[in-house]
């Protein structure tokens, strides 16, 4: 019991709750619930910062990552910045990503982009076990706490269907890659490289890349646990495809022409 109460994290808390609800411990149920609540209150306290982390915060305005939830939030912010810069930045590597021939090239590119924005808070890397399917494509590990985020990457220009991507989210990422105690958070990243549509589950109607990401994000929000305990997963999209608009009619010119036509008196 002492070892269970001393162990931080959601797994130990839920274990205490299961003990409290077990008929075998009915006479101690109220006490066990009190112990579980006290444990949750202690776990809710943010881990203390070191002197070096305080100095870094003062100089760089970047807080250390102390929990898996903090790391997931940071990784999602970094992915959003990558996606934003890819489409809105003055000088980007969008064309390089668009030409990526397979997921390995995307992985190398994404690790480089993530580490460039880490500012010492985490380190993104690939491991040799990827080839054997034992590890996620990319792991983001905090530099100030024993927590990791699994990043699974799918090349949207390949033959992955919407159902394939859903299975990747539910099984490969949520079940297979989030079993370690230090890795209970994950992100499915899908990249978009060419003009294509996916078939929506249910009515087989074509949906865009943005609709696909929104649909998968909704599913991710419902996944809160796997076989070993509480988890959290999210989905992110990186759009590298740039539609060629050179052949499109100039909309502004057309609008002005139509406006002039409406003001022009009709000939009798």
């Amino acid at each position: 019991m002492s070892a269970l109460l001393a162990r931080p994290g959601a797994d130990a808390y839920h274990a205490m709750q299961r003990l409290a609800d077990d008929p075998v411990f009915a006479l101690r149920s109220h006490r066990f619930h009190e112990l579980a609540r006290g444990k949750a209150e202690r776990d809710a306290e943010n881990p203390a910062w070191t002197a070096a982390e305080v100095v870094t915060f003062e100089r760089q305005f970047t807080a250390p990552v102390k929990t898996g939830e903090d790391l997931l939030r940071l990784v999602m912010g970094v992915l959003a910045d990558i996606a934003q810069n890819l489409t809105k930045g003055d000088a980007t590597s969008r064309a390089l990503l668009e030409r990526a021939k397979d997921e390995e090239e995307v992985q190398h590119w994404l690790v480089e982009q993530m580490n460039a924005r880490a500012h010492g808070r985490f380190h993104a890397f690939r491991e040799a076990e990827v080839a054997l399917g034992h590890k996620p494509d990319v792991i983001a590990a905090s530099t100030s706490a024993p927590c990791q985020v699994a990043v699974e990457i799918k090349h949207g220009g390949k033959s992955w269907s919407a159902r394939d991507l859903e299975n990747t989210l539910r099984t490969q990422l949520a079940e297979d890659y989030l079993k370690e105690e230090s890795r209970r958070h994950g992100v499915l990243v899908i990249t978009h490289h060419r003009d294509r549509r996916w078939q929506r589950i249910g009515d087989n109607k074509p949906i865009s890349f943005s609709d696909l990401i929104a649909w998968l994000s909704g599913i991710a929000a419902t996944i809160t646990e796997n076989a070993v305990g509480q988890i959290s997963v999210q989905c992110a999209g990186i759009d590298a495809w740039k539609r060629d608009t050179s052949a499109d009619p100039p909309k502004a010119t057309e609008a002005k022409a139509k406006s002039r036509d409406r003001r022009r008196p009709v000939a009798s």
Side-chain angles (χ1 to χ4, degrees):
M1 180 65 72
S2 298
L4 186 61
L5 292 173
R7 179 175 176 175
D11 290 345
Y13 168 77
H14 288 290
M16 282 297 304
Q17 292 282 40
R18 288 194 297 271
L19 288 177
D21 295 333
D22 193 316
V24 175
F25 302 104
L27 295 178
R28 292 283 185 174
S29 177
H30 181 71
R31 178 55 179 162
F32 282 7
H33 278 298
E34 287 182 340
L35 292 173
R37 179 180 178 84
K39 173 178 171 43
E41 291 175 348
R42 292 191 300 274
D43 288 348
E45 294 291 332
N46 291 325
W49 290 15
T50 66
E53 290 167 349
V54 173
V55 172
T56 299
F57 179 75
E58 182 180 10
R59 293 175 176 174
Q60 301 180 5
F61 305 104
T62 56
V65 176
K66 294 292 190 176
T67 67
E69 194 65 34
D70 289 343
L71 182 57
L72 177 62
R73 189 182 306 113
L74 175 59
V75 168
M76 290 300 295
V78 166
L79 292 173
D81 183 69
I82 292 172
Q84 174 76 8
N85 185 70
L86 204 66
T87 56
K88 304 297 184 181
D90 294 332
T92 76
S93 56
R94 182 201 59 77
L96 181 65
L97 178 61
E98 186 180 16
R99 293 193 299 268
K101 67 178 186 296
D102 54 32
E103 284 166 1
E104 184 175 3
E105 288 191 353
V106 176
Q107 293 164 17
H108 284 288
W109 176 87
L110 188 59
V111 167
E112 180 183 32
Q113 295 294 317
M114 291 177 67
N115 284 330
R117 294 165 169 82
H119 299 296
R121 294 169 292 177
F122 68 88
H123 178 62
F125 58 92
R126 299 173 70 247
E127 290 193 347
E129 291 90 339
V130 170
L132 302 176
H134 297 161
K135 295 284 185 180
D137 293 333
V138 173
I139 294 175
S142 171
T143 56
S144 56
C147 56
Q148 300 178 347
V149 167
V151 182
E152 181 65 17
I153 301 169
K154 293 300 180 186
H155 190 302
K158 303 302 180 180
S159 59
W160 303 109
S161 66
R163 182 67 74 187
D164 292 334
L165 295 172
E166 180 188 6
N167 291 335
T168 296
L169 180 65
R170 291 185 181 276
T171 304
Q172 191 174 6
L173 178 61
E175 289 291 342
D176 297 341
Y177 295 157
L178 302 184
K179 291 182 177 179
E180 294 187 17
E181 184 177 355
S182 62
R183 191 194 310 138
R184 296 297 176 82
H185 301 77
V187 183
L188 172 61
V189 177
I190 305 169
T191 53
H192 189 212
H193 303 259
R194 59 182 174 85
D195 186 18
R196 69 164 292 187
R197 296 291 186 271
W198 286 261
Q199 289 185 328
R200 187 167 58 190
I201 304 299
D203 55 15
N204 290 330
K205 289 185 178 180
I207 58 175
S208 66
F209 178 67
S210 60
D211 291 335
L212 174 73
I213 298 302
W215 175 68
L216 289 170
S217 295
I219 294 175
T222 67
I223 303 174
T224 58
E225 61 180 356
N226 61 13
V228 297
Q230 298 293 305
I231 62 170
S232 179
V233 296
Q234 295 195 32
C235 180
I238 299 179
D239 194 350
W241 179 66
K242 185 176 182 180
R243 187 170 67 94
D244 184 8
T245 58
S246 58
D248 291 347
K251 294 182 179 179
T253 303
E254 284 187 344
K256 290 180 180 179
K258 290 180 180 179
S259 178
R260 287 195 300 269
D261 290 342
R262 284 196 296 269
R263 294 196 299 267
R264 186 178 301 158
V266 179
S268 57

